[in-house]
Each structure stands twice: as structure tokens, then as C-alpha cells.
Amino acid sequence: MFPGIGGRGMNPAKVKQMMKQMGINITDIDEVEQVIIRTASRDIVFNDANVSIMNAQGVDTYQIVGTPEEVARDVQIPDDDVRLVAEQTGVSEDKARDALKNANGDLAEAILSLSS
């Protein structure tokens, strides 16, 4: 166990001292307005984020504390892809765009879905 840690909670001064001894440094980033984590299918947005950087043995680790909000990402369909699918399948550009959206931008899947 760690000295100074009992059933009543941790003494902040002792925690800080132990972290310093272990070579861990934590700093807060002030005035954070928003943090966005982007994945292929969605964004995770923190509008009320508190961000800290913990440096331990030369490695920075970012900690985000806040309320996440998941937002689905719209697939961006290039006009060239729409034209290609329309030409290959003989459908209108609107139908080609819809097929590409349903296929998450996958050209081959969109063409196959319209060719059936």
C-alpha cells in the first residue's frame, strides 16, 4: 500500500509528492473549448472538456474529463464517384449518389447494388 492512503481518502500533498518521486508530471490545458475524437463512422464530441497532460518517463498521456456526445458522420461522396457509378450502371446521378451513401462510399458495392 501507499503510505498516507487510508479509508478516509488520499492526502493530495502526499499524492503529489509520490508522483514527483516517480517522475510523473501533470499539467492542465486551460481554456479548452472542445475536444473531438473522429472515427470512420462517428465523432465523439466533448463541449465541456477538462484536459490534462500526464508526462511519465517522457511519454505524454492526455486525459479528457467531460460529457461525451456521439455524432454520426456523413459520408462525403465525391462527384467523380457519382458520375462513375451513374455511367457504369446507367442510372441517374441522384440514384448513384444514394447508392454510394448506402454503401458508405464503396464504389464496387454501389455498382453491384444498382446492377442487380
Side-chain angles (χ1 to χ4, degrees):
M1 275 319 264
F2 294 110
I5 300 176
R8 296 183 315 257
M10 298 170 57
N11 180 337
K14 288 203 184 252
V15 171
K16 200 170 197 176
Q17 180 184 11
M18 285 189 304
M19 289 176 52
K20 186 175 181 179
Q21 288 173 347
M22 291 186 283
I24 299 173
N25 183 30
I26 296 180
T27 55
D28 291 331
I29 300 176
D30 295 329
E31 300 180 21
V32 173
E33 293 180 8
Q34 187 178 58
V35 175
I36 302 171
I37 300 171
R38 294 191 191 278
T39 69
S41 61
R42 63 192 168 118
D43 290 343
I44 303 170
V45 180
F46 294 82
N47 289 313
D48 61 344
N50 293 317
V51 180
S52 300
I53 303 172
M54 179 176 67
N55 183 289
Q57 299 177 354
V59 176
D60 287 341
T61 303
Y62 289 77
Q63 177 178 333
I64 303 166
V65 178
T67 307
E69 177 185 335
E70 292 192 24
V71 179
R73 293 188 67 190
D74 289 334
V75 177
Q76 300 298 318
I77 308 295
D79 290 338
D80 289 342
D81 290 357
V82 173
R83 281 191 290 276
L84 177 67
V85 171
E87 289 170 5
Q88 292 293 317
T89 59
V91 300
S92 69
E93 288 191 3
D94 288 338
K95 282 189 178 183
R97 186 176 303 282
D98 289 341
L100 281 163
K101 284 182 181 178
N102 291 336
N104 292 321
D106 187 318
L107 289 168
E109 187 177 332
I111 291 171
L112 286 173
S113 72
L114 291 169
S115 298
S116 319

